[in-house]
Amino acid sequence: MRRPSPPPFLLPFLLLLAATSPSATHGFNITKILATHPDFSTFNHYLTATHLASEINRRQTITVLAIDNAAMSPLLAKHLSLPTLKNVLSLHVLVDYYGAKKLHQITHGTALASSLFQATGAAPGTSGFVNITDHRAGLVSFSATSDDSSAPPPPSSSFVKSLNEQPYNLSIIQISKPLSSPEAEAPAAAPAPVNLTDLMTRKGCALFAGLLSADSDTLKTFTESAEGGLTVFCPSDPAVKAFLPVYKNLTADGKASLLLYHGYPVYSSLQGLKSNNGVVTTLATDGGAKKNYNFTVQDDGEKVTLETGVSTATITSTLIDQDPVAVYEVDKVLQPLELFKPEETEAPEPAPAKSKKKKGKQVAETPVDSPDAAPADLAADDNAASGTRFVFAGGVAAVLLAVVVIA
């Protein structure tokens, strides 16, 4: 007998319960996961060094063909440049989900999977795909395709074991050796340099770009840092315009330090900033400043903020995110503690306690919300309130489930 559908009035509640369940959320950090597998520390290191880790983290569905430290040695012995090594490793990242079970249930025993090397457009022609073959006796092999149809087939690598699976978002599996691909190992051209001031001028940060251009030494620091990896937080034109009277009163060194404070000497995607909350250094720190010139990156799930101790700025848009440079627009000028004092808000003085006479003695009345109330009582009240909320939420879920079953 077919079970009837739940009453229409329950559908919004059921959808709400489904949306707030843990399975409805997505997010992983490849470097943190691989850090729990010491035998893959070299592979993990180069995922970070080539900035592939951040690309993996922002993907919804991904399979990583991981190589242990021993198998990485022959690859590193080729002394490939970092851009070329990135192409080789991106061949080991498939833009589809292949868990251990799926590998042994491939339709017709073979599948052609697109790799990150192919999906990003870096692979020439028909290269950049990975052939997956399910052989008899449980053996699964992987081999890279070639753009040269007349070339002999490259050697294959074999499935070893599954390291981590989060169906159907992330699968990390170990293969026996690196995939071989002449196209991926071909010398890769270094990315074209980004003209920071031109980019910022065209995309809403013209005033900040003008301040950088007016200080040749500071601009040179930004430009040279971009070659090895740089993240810039440029304040919007309205934010800089409002701050200019303060900026003009700074010393020359103070102006330089403030501008350098808006540069983080590491490339970081927006997903990378969200995944790695905490204190970061700046170009002002690396520039030999005697003080820290740090700020804190925070993510509340919806927005990324930069907290300096004096002001809090929010990332409002992405101007460019192209390894090795990322530039984000922020809604305020970042003000370091080394140059400015934090804003202090004076707390109002507490009103004097009222008193009344009782049998010739002065008895102070304690307000209900007085800080003198017993901490244990307050904790008990908080726990009771939390318990009530928990019981109420659980009760609602139970009632909804019961109604569905009865229906």
Side-chain angles (χ1 to χ4, degrees), residues 134-368:
D134 180 18
H135 305 273
R136 294 180 179 180
L139 174 66
V140 178
S141 65
F142 302 83
S143 61
T145 61
S146 174
D147 192 36
D148 185 1
S149 57
S150 62
S156 61
S157 182
S158 302
F159 169 77
V160 178
K161 63 182 179 182
S162 175
L163 299 178
N164 187 286
E165 294 185 17
Q166 300 178 19
Y168 290 89
N169 298 123
L170 173 69
S171 174
I172 307 175
I173 58 179
Q174 179 185 359
I175 60 175
S176 58
K177 59 184 178 182
L179 299 178
S180 176
S181 169
E183 290 83 1
E185 295 179 22
V194 177
N195 187 320
L196 291 173
T197 54
D198 178 65
L199 173 72
M200 290 187 284
T201 299
R202 289 186 290 105
K203 296 198 175 185
C205 294
L207 292 180
F208 185 75
L211 296 179
L212 281 179
S213 299
D215 188 331
S216 58
D217 290 337
T218 299
L219 179 58
K220 181 180 179 181
T221 301
F222 271 86
T223 303
E224 292 178 348
S225 299
E227 297 175 3
L230 176 67
T231 301
V232 180
F233 304 98
C234 68
S236 63
D237 284 342
V240 175
K241 184 177 181 180
F243 185 77
L244 277 178
V246 178
Y247 179 81
K248 291 177 180 178
N249 287 329
L250 295 174
T251 64
D253 288 342
K255 291 177 180 177
S257 295
L258 182 127
L259 295 175
L260 292 170
Y261 190 62
H262 289 75
Y264 171 39
V266 175
Y267 162 75
S268 183
S269 65
L270 191 59
Q271 181 62 41
L273 291 173
K274 291 180 178 180
S275 302
N276 299 291
N277 287 187
V279 177
V280 299
T281 59
T282 66
L283 291 176
T285 308
D286 289 0
K290 295 180 181 179
K291 298 183 180 180
N292 291 327
Y293 282 96
N294 299 331
F295 59 78
T296 302
V297 179
Q298 295 287 346
D299 169 43
D300 65 1
E302 296 183 359
K303 59 185 179 180
V304 178
T305 59
L306 314 176
E307 301 177 1
T308 72
V310 178
S311 59
T312 299
T314 300
I315 294 179
T316 55
S317 66
T318 301
L319 274 61
I320 189 174
D321 182 359
Q322 181 180 312
D323 185 12
V325 175
V327 181
Y328 305 103
E329 181 181 297
V330 292
D331 62 353
K332 291 182 181 179
V333 173
L334 302 180
Q335 301 178 49
L337 275 170
E338 288 76 6
L339 296 177
F340 305 95
K341 293 181 179 181
E343 296 180 0
E344 297 180 357
T345 304
E346 295 183 0
E349 296 183 1
K354 296 180 180 180
S355 62
K356 62 180 180 179
K357 293 182 179 181
K358 185 177 181 181
K359 295 183 180 180
K361 296 183 179 180
Q362 294 290 335
V363 180
E365 293 182 350
T366 303
V368 175

Side-chain angles (χ1 to χ4, degrees), residues 24-106:
T25 60
H26 157 72
F28 50 77
N29 188 312
I30 184 66
T31 54
K32 289 184 179 180
I33 295 173
L34 285 175
T36 63
H37 301 275
D39 290 343
F40 296 83
S41 59
T42 303
F43 180 76
N44 194 17
H45 166 75
Y46 282 102
L47 286 183
T48 302
T50 58
H51 306 300
L52 277 173
S54 58
E55 177 66 26
I56 292 171
N57 290 340
R58 65 171 169 247
R59 292 271 175 167
Q60 288 286 339
T61 304
I62 213 82
T63 297
V64 179
L65 308 179
I67 310 160
D68 67 14
N69 295 341
M72 280 290 292
S73 296
L75 178 61
L76 297 179
K78 296 180 180 181
H79 302 292
L80 303 174
S81 67
L82 202 60
T84 301
L85 185 58
K86 179 179 182 178
N87 286 342
V88 174
L89 293 182
S90 64
L91 187 64
H92 293 72
V93 182
L94 310 181
V95 292
D96 198 356
Y97 179 83
Y98 287 93
K101 183 178 180 180
K102 183 177 179 179
L103 288 174
H104 292 93
Q105 295 179 346
I106 295 177

